[in-house]
Amino acid sequence: MSKDSKVTIAKRAAMELKDGWIVNLGVGIPTLAVNYLPPGRRVFIQSENGILGVGPMPAPEEADPDIINAGRQPVTIIPGGSFFDSALSFGMIRGGHLDATIIGALEVSERGDIANWILPGKDVLGMGGAMDLVVGAKKVIVATQHVAKSGKPKILPECTLPLTAPSAAHMIITEYAVFSFQDGVLVLDEIAPDITLDGLKEITPAKYEVSPELKVMEVC
């Protein structure tokens, strides 16, 4: 997956965040979204290691090794940002105080099941706060590449990996499409200009409906 594709996904995901929202960004592509918030939109990014008010990533020479997000990446803090302990941080998540989370996924099913915390037999980072976030946040936006590095589709009829949570996703954003879940049905709302409906179907085994108001996917 190219760097440009990751940026495309992050930019499109950032467009979903509304002014005044409190949002947690998962590790990887979701973390990039903070760099592409629409101008004038004030969003309060929460990190489960105890920050509210994460700003754009700093230039390497300006990074402070003591100011990091939950993915151990250097971050900046916006004016008015605050620090607190992990107990309060997870209290915010579990108490339903987050308006949204943007989270990555290894697999997503056509019912919104999310698998993103373990590849059996592989040495991966672990679940982190994912299980809390996908249940505690009011809106769960999955931001992920459309297929894995191996070429295997990631939007499937059924997840084959251990679940993080069942029926938790509200949206899926990839470099090729934007889907939403409407009354339990996966609906294609937007398609990228560089792929056809037939081409998208070839890499999307999940069952989905095409919105009668299907749009061309745009990013700011």
Side-chain angles (χ1 to χ4, degrees), residues 177-218:
V178 177
F179 296 91
S180 63
F181 289 89
Q182 301 177 22
D183 298 324
V185 176
L186 183 61
V187 177
L188 174 65
D189 295 314
E190 299 178 23
I191 185 169
D194 57 347
I195 193 168
T196 64
L197 282 172
D198 287 341
L200 185 70
K201 189 59 186 174
E202 288 180 3
I203 57 174
T204 314
K207 181 181 178 181
Y208 61 87
E209 296 182 0
V210 178
S211 171
E213 299 177 350
L214 180 67
K215 300 177 181 177
V216 176
M217 183 175 165
E218 296 181 355

Short mmCIF file of all heavy atoms in Angstrom, two decimals, residues 177-218:
data_model
loop_
_atom_site.label_atom_id
_atom_site.label_comp_id
_atom_site.label_asym_id
_atom_site.label_seq_id
_atom_site.Cartn_x
_atom_site.Cartn_y
_atom_site.Cartn_z
N ALA A 177 -13.29 3.01 -1.24
CA ALA A 177 -14.73 3.11 -1.00
C ALA A 177 -15.04 3.60 0.40
O ALA A 177 -14.19 3.53 1.30
CB ALA A 177 -15.39 1.75 -1.23
N VAL A 178 -16.28 4.08 0.55
CA VAL A 178 -16.83 4.40 1.86
C VAL A 178 -18.14 3.62 2.00
O VAL A 178 -19.03 3.73 1.14
CB VAL A 178 -17.12 5.91 2.01
CG1 VAL A 178 -17.77 6.19 3.36
CG2 VAL A 178 -15.82 6.71 1.87
N PHE A 179 -18.22 2.81 3.04
CA PHE A 179 -19.43 2.04 3.34
C PHE A 179 -20.03 2.53 4.65
O PHE A 179 -19.31 2.99 5.54
CB PHE A 179 -19.09 0.55 3.52
CG PHE A 179 -18.55 -0.15 2.32
CD1 PHE A 179 -17.17 -0.22 2.10
CD2 PHE A 179 -19.40 -0.79 1.42
CE1 PHE A 179 -16.66 -0.90 1.00
CE2 PHE A 179 -18.89 -1.46 0.32
CZ PHE A 179 -17.52 -1.52 0.10
N SER A 180 -21.34 2.37 4.78
CA SER A 180 -21.98 2.58 6.07
C SER A 180 -22.85 1.37 6.39
O SER A 180 -23.19 0.59 5.48
CB SER A 180 -22.84 3.85 6.05
OG SER A 180 -23.89 3.74 5.11
N PHE A 181 -23.18 1.22 7.66
CA PHE A 181 -24.10 0.15 8.07
C PHE A 181 -25.45 0.81 8.36
O PHE A 181 -25.54 1.69 9.23
CB PHE A 181 -23.57 -0.57 9.31
CG PHE A 181 -22.37 -1.43 9.00
CD1 PHE A 181 -21.08 -0.89 9.08
CD2 PHE A 181 -22.51 -2.75 8.61
CE1 PHE A 181 -19.97 -1.66 8.78
CE2 PHE A 181 -21.41 -3.53 8.30
CZ PHE A 181 -20.13 -2.99 8.39
N GLN A 182 -26.46 0.41 7.60
CA GLN A 182 -27.79 0.99 7.75
C GLN A 182 -28.79 -0.13 8.06
O GLN A 182 -29.02 -1.00 7.24
CB GLN A 182 -28.18 1.72 6.45
CG GLN A 182 -27.21 2.85 6.09
CD GLN A 182 -27.55 3.53 4.79
OE1 GLN A 182 -28.69 3.48 4.31
NE2 GLN A 182 -26.58 4.19 4.18
N ASP A 183 -29.33 -0.10 9.28
CA ASP A 183 -30.25 -1.14 9.76
C ASP A 183 -29.64 -2.53 9.59
O ASP A 183 -30.32 -3.48 9.16
CB ASP A 183 -31.59 -1.05 9.00
CG ASP A 183 -32.30 0.27 9.25
OD1 ASP A 183 -32.21 0.78 10.37
OD2 ASP A 183 -32.93 0.78 8.31
N GLY A 184 -28.35 -2.62 9.89
CA GLY A 184 -27.67 -3.91 9.84
C GLY A 184 -27.20 -4.33 8.46
O GLY A 184 -26.66 -5.43 8.30
N VAL A 185 -27.41 -3.48 7.46
CA VAL A 185 -27.02 -3.81 6.08
C VAL A 185 -25.82 -2.95 5.68
O VAL A 185 -25.80 -1.74 5.93
CB VAL A 185 -28.20 -3.56 5.12
CG1 VAL A 185 -27.77 -3.82 3.68
CG2 VAL A 185 -29.38 -4.46 5.49
N LEU A 186 -24.84 -3.58 5.06
CA LEU A 186 -23.67 -2.85 4.57
C LEU A 186 -24.02 -2.16 3.25
O LEU A 186 -24.51 -2.80 2.31
CB LEU A 186 -22.51 -3.82 4.35
CG LEU A 186 -21.17 -3.23 3.90
CD1 LEU A 186 -20.63 -2.24 4.93
CD2 LEU A 186 -20.16 -4.35 3.65
N VAL A 187 -23.81 -0.84 3.19
CA VAL A 187 -24.20 -0.04 2.02
C VAL A 187 -22.99 0.71 1.49
O VAL A 187 -22.26 1.36 2.25
CB VAL A 187 -25.32 0.96 2.40
CG1 VAL A 187 -25.68 1.84 1.20
CG2 VAL A 187 -26.55 0.22 2.91
N LEU A 188 -22.77 0.62 0.18
CA LEU A 188 -21.71 1.37 -0.47
C LEU A 188 -22.21 2.78 -0.75
O LEU A 188 -23.14 2.98 -1.53
CB LEU A 188 -21.31 0.68 -1.78
CG LEU A 188 -20.30 1.44 -2.66
CD1 LEU A 188 -18.96 1.57 -1.96
CD2 LEU A 188 -20.16 0.76 -4.02
N ASP A 189 -21.60 3.77 -0.10
CA ASP A 189 -22.03 5.17 -0.25
C ASP A 189 -21.15 5.95 -1.22
O ASP A 189 -21.63 6.88 -1.87
CB ASP A 189 -22.00 5.87 1.11
CG ASP A 189 -22.99 5.29 2.09
OD1 ASP A 189 -24.14 5.07 1.70
OD2 ASP A 189 -22.60 5.06 3.26
N GLU A 190 -19.86 5.63 -1.27
CA GLU A 190 -18.93 6.37 -2.11
C GLU A 190 -17.93 5.39 -2.72
O GLU A 190 -17.55 4.40 -2.09
CB GLU A 190 -18.16 7.42 -1.29
CG GLU A 190 -19.06 8.47 -0.64
CD GLU A 190 -18.27 9.46 0.22
OE1 GLU A 190 -17.06 9.63 -0.02
OE2 GLU A 190 -18.88 10.05 1.13
N ILE A 191 -17.52 5.69 -3.95
CA ILE A 191 -16.52 4.85 -4.63
C ILE A 191 -15.43 5.76 -5.19
O ILE A 191 -15.72 6.87 -5.68
CB ILE A 191 -17.17 3.99 -5.74
CG1 ILE A 191 -16.14 3.03 -6.34
CG2 ILE A 191 -17.82 4.86 -6.80
CD1 ILE A 191 -16.78 1.98 -7.26
N ALA A 192 -14.18 5.32 -5.08
CA ALA A 192 -13.06 6.13 -5.56
C ALA A 192 -13.11 6.27 -7.08
O ALA A 192 -13.60 5.37 -7.77
CB ALA A 192 -11.74 5.49 -5.13
N PRO A 193 -12.58 7.38 -7.61
CA PRO A 193 -12.66 7.60 -9.06
C PRO A 193 -11.80 6.65 -9.88
O PRO A 193 -11.99 6.55 -11.09
CB PRO A 193 -12.19 9.06 -9.20
CG PRO A 193 -11.40 9.35 -7.98
CD PRO A 193 -12.01 8.52 -6.88
N ASP A 194 -10.86 5.95 -9.23
CA ASP A 194 -9.94 5.09 -9.98
C ASP A 194 -10.32 3.62 -9.94
O ASP A 194 -9.48 2.75 -10.20
CB ASP A 194 -8.51 5.29 -9.49
CG ASP A 194 -8.37 5.02 -8.01
OD1 ASP A 194 -9.41 4.92 -7.31
OD2 ASP A 194 -7.23 4.89 -7.53
N ILE A 195 -11.59 3.31 -9.62
CA ILE A 195 -12.02 1.92 -9.62
C ILE A 195 -13.48 1.87 -10.08
O ILE A 195 -14.24 2.82 -9.85
CB ILE A 195 -11.85 1.26 -8.24
CG1 ILE A 195 -12.01 -0.26 -8.32
CG2 ILE A 195 -12.81 1.86 -7.22
CD1 ILE A 195 -11.56 -0.98 -7.05
N THR A 196 -13.88 0.77 -10.72
CA THR A 196 -15.27 0.60 -11.17
C THR A 196 -16.04 -0.21 -10.14
O THR A 196 -15.45 -0.84 -9.25
CB THR A 196 -15.31 -0.14 -12.51
OG1 THR A 196 -14.78 -1.46 -12.32
CG2 THR A 196 -14.49 0.59 -13.56
N LEU A 197 -17.36 -0.24 -10.30
CA LEU A 197 -18.17 -1.07 -9.40
C LEU A 197 -17.79 -2.54 -9.54
O LEU A 197 -17.71 -3.27 -8.55
CB LEU A 197 -19.66 -0.87 -9.72
CG LEU A 197 -20.29 0.42 -9.16
CD1 LEU A 197 -21.71 0.59 -9.72
CD2 LEU A 197 -20.32 0.40 -7.64
N ASP A 198 -17.55 -2.98 -10.77
CA ASP A 198 -17.15 -4.39 -10.96
C ASP A 198 -15.79 -4.65 -10.32
O ASP A 198 -15.56 -5.70 -9.71
CB ASP A 198 -17.10 -4.72 -12.46
CG ASP A 198 -18.49 -4.82 -13.08
OD1 ASP A 198 -19.46 -4.99 -12.32
OD2 ASP A 198 -18.59 -4.72 -14.31
N GLY A 199 -14.87 -3.70 -10.48
CA GLY A 199 -13.55 -3.87 -9.88
C GLY A 199 -13.61 -3.91 -8.37
O GLY A 199 -12.90 -4.69 -7.71
N LEU A 200 -14.47 -3.08 -7.80
CA LEU A 200 -14.62 -3.07 -6.34
C LEU A 200 -15.20 -4.39 -5.85
O LEU A 200 -14.76 -4.93 -4.83
CB LEU A 200 -15.52 -1.91 -5.92
CG LEU A 200 -15.67 -1.71 -4.42
CD1 LEU A 200 -14.37 -1.21 -3.80
CD2 LEU A 200 -16.80 -0.73 -4.10
N LYS A 201 -16.18 -4.92 -6.59
CA LYS A 201 -16.81 -6.18 -6.17
C LYS A 201 -15.81 -7.32 -6.16
O LYS A 201 -15.88 -8.22 -5.32
CB LYS A 201 -17.99 -6.51 -7.09
CG LYS A 201 -18.83 -7.68 -6.58
CD LYS A 201 -19.39 -7.40 -5.20
CE LYS A 201 -20.10 -8.60 -4.61
NZ LYS A 201 -20.52 -8.35 -3.20
N GLU A 202 -14.86 -7.29 -7.09
CA GLU A 202 -13.86 -8.36 -7.17
C GLU A 202 -12.98 -8.44 -5.92
O GLU A 202 -12.47 -9.50 -5.58
CB GLU A 202 -12.97 -8.15 -8.40
CG GLU A 202 -13.68 -8.43 -9.72
CD GLU A 202 -12.75 -8.20 -10.91
OE1 GLU A 202 -11.57 -7.87 -10.67
OE2 GLU A 202 -13.22 -8.33 -12.06
N ILE A 203 -12.81 -7.32 -5.24
CA ILE A 203 -11.94 -7.31 -4.05
C ILE A 203 -12.76 -7.15 -2.76
O ILE A 203 -12.21 -6.90 -1.69
CB ILE A 203 -10.88 -6.18 -4.13
CG1 ILE A 203 -11.54 -4.81 -4.30
CG2 ILE A 203 -9.91 -6.46 -5.27
CD1 ILE A 203 -10.55 -3.65 -4.24
N THR A 204 -14.10 -7.32 -2.89
CA THR A 204 -14.97 -7.17 -1.72
C THR A 204 -15.94 -8.35 -1.66
O THR A 204 -17.06 -8.28 -2.18
CB THR A 204 -15.78 -5.85 -1.80
OG1 THR A 204 -14.91 -4.78 -2.17
CG2 THR A 204 -16.43 -5.53 -0.45
N PRO A 205 -15.55 -9.45 -1.02
CA PRO A 205 -16.43 -10.62 -0.97
C PRO A 205 -17.70 -10.41 -0.15
O PRO A 205 -18.68 -11.13 -0.34
CB PRO A 205 -15.55 -11.69 -0.31
CG PRO A 205 -14.15 -11.20 -0.45
CD PRO A 205 -14.23 -9.71 -0.44
N ALA A 206 -17.68 -9.44 0.76
CA ALA A 206 -18.86 -9.20 1.60
C ALA A 206 -20.06 -8.81 0.74
O ALA A 206 -19.92 -8.19 -0.31
CB ALA A 206 -18.56 -8.09 2.61
N LYS A 207 -21.24 -9.17 1.24
CA LYS A 207 -22.48 -8.76 0.57
C LYS A 207 -22.79 -7.31 0.96
O LYS A 207 -22.77 -6.97 2.14
CB LYS A 207 -23.63 -9.67 1.02
CG LYS A 207 -24.96 -9.35 0.37
CD LYS A 207 -26.04 -10.29 0.90
CE LYS A 207 -27.41 -9.95 0.30
NZ LYS A 207 -28.47 -10.85 0.84
N TYR A 208 -23.06 -6.49 -0.04
CA TYR A 208 -23.41 -5.10 0.25
C TYR A 208 -24.37 -4.57 -0.80
O TYR A 208 -24.44 -5.08 -1.92
CB TYR A 208 -22.16 -4.22 0.34
CG TYR A 208 -21.33 -4.16 -0.92
CD1 TYR A 208 -21.58 -3.24 -1.93
CD2 TYR A 208 -20.27 -5.04 -1.10
CE1 TYR A 208 -20.81 -3.19 -3.08
CE2 TYR A 208 -19.48 -5.01 -2.24
CZ TYR A 208 -19.75 -4.08 -3.23
OH TYR A 208 -18.99 -4.04 -4.37
N GLU A 209 -25.10 -3.55 -0.42
CA GLU A 209 -25.99 -2.87 -1.35
C GLU A 209 -25.32 -1.58 -1.82
O GLU A 209 -24.51 -1.00 -1.11
CB GLU A 209 -27.33 -2.54 -0.66
CG GLU A 209 -28.11 -3.78 -0.26
CD GLU A 209 -29.46 -3.44 0.36
OE1 GLU A 209 -29.77 -2.23 0.47
OE2 GLU A 209 -30.18 -4.38 0.74
N VAL A 210 -25.68 -1.15 -3.02
CA VAL A 210 -25.16 0.11 -3.56
C VAL A 210 -26.20 1.20 -3.32
O VAL A 210 -27.37 1.05 -3.71
CB VAL A 210 -24.86 -0.01 -5.06
CG1 VAL A 210 -24.37 1.32 -5.61
CG2 VAL A 210 -23.83 -1.11 -5.31
N SER A 211 -25.80 2.25 -2.65
CA SER A 211 -26.72 3.34 -2.36
C SER A 211 -27.27 3.94 -3.65
O SER A 211 -26.52 4.17 -4.60
CB SER A 211 -26.01 4.43 -1.55
OG SER A 211 -26.83 5.58 -1.45
N PRO A 212 -28.58 4.25 -3.70
CA PRO A 212 -29.12 4.94 -4.88
C PRO A 212 -28.53 6.34 -5.03
O PRO A 212 -28.67 6.94 -6.09
CB PRO A 212 -30.63 4.98 -4.59
CG PRO A 212 -30.77 4.81 -3.12
CD PRO A 212 -29.61 3.94 -2.70
N GLU A 213 -27.89 6.82 -3.97
CA GLU A 213 -27.25 8.14 -4.03
C GLU A 213 -25.72 8.00 -4.02
O GLU A 213 -25.01 8.85 -3.48
CB GLU A 213 -27.71 8.99 -2.84
CG GLU A 213 -29.22 9.22 -2.83
CD GLU A 213 -29.69 9.99 -1.61
OE1 GLU A 213 -28.88 10.19 -0.68
OE2 GLU A 213 -30.86 10.40 -1.59
N LEU A 214 -25.24 6.94 -4.65
CA LEU A 214 -23.79 6.69 -4.69
C LEU A 214 -23.03 7.90 -5.23
O LEU A 214 -23.39 8.48 -6.25
CB LEU A 214 -23.51 5.47 -5.58
CG LEU A 214 -22.03 5.08 -5.72
CD1 LEU A 214 -21.48 4.58 -4.40
CD2 LEU A 214 -21.88 4.01 -6.81
N LYS A 215 -21.95 8.26 -4.49
CA LYS A 215 -21.14 9.42 -4.88
C LYS A 215 -19.71 8.98 -5.21
O LYS A 215 -19.26 7.91 -4.79
CB LYS A 215 -21.09 10.42 -3.72
CG LYS A 215 -22.43 10.97 -3.29
CD LYS A 215 -22.27 11.89 -2.09
CE LYS A 215 -23.61 12.43 -1.61
NZ LYS A 215 -23.44 13.28 -0.39
N VAL A 216 -19.03 9.84 -5.93
CA VAL A 216 -17.60 9.65 -6.13
C VAL A 216 -16.88 10.11 -4.86
O VAL A 216 -17.15 11.20 -4.34
CB VAL A 216 -17.09 10.44 -7.34
CG1 VAL A 216 -15.57 10.32 -7.47
CG2 VAL A 216 -17.77 9.96 -8.61
N MET A 217 -16.01 9.27 -4.37
CA MET A 217 -15.28 9.56 -3.13
C MET A 217 -14.37 10.77 -3.33
O MET A 217 -13.60 10.84 -4.28
CB MET A 217 -14.46 8.33 -2.75
CG MET A 217 -13.70 8.40 -1.46
SD MET A 217 -12.91 6.79 -1.15
CE MET A 217 -11.75 7.25 0.12
N GLU A 218 -14.49 11.73 -2.42
CA GLU A 218 -13.66 12.93 -2.48
C GLU A 218 -12.93 13.10 -1.16
O GLU A 218 -13.42 12.71 -0.11
CB GLU A 218 -14.52 14.17 -2.74
CG GLU A 218 -15.22 14.16 -4.09
CD GLU A 218 -16.05 15.42 -4.32
OE1 GLU A 218 -16.14 16.23 -3.37
OE2 GLU A 218 -16.58 15.58 -5.42
#
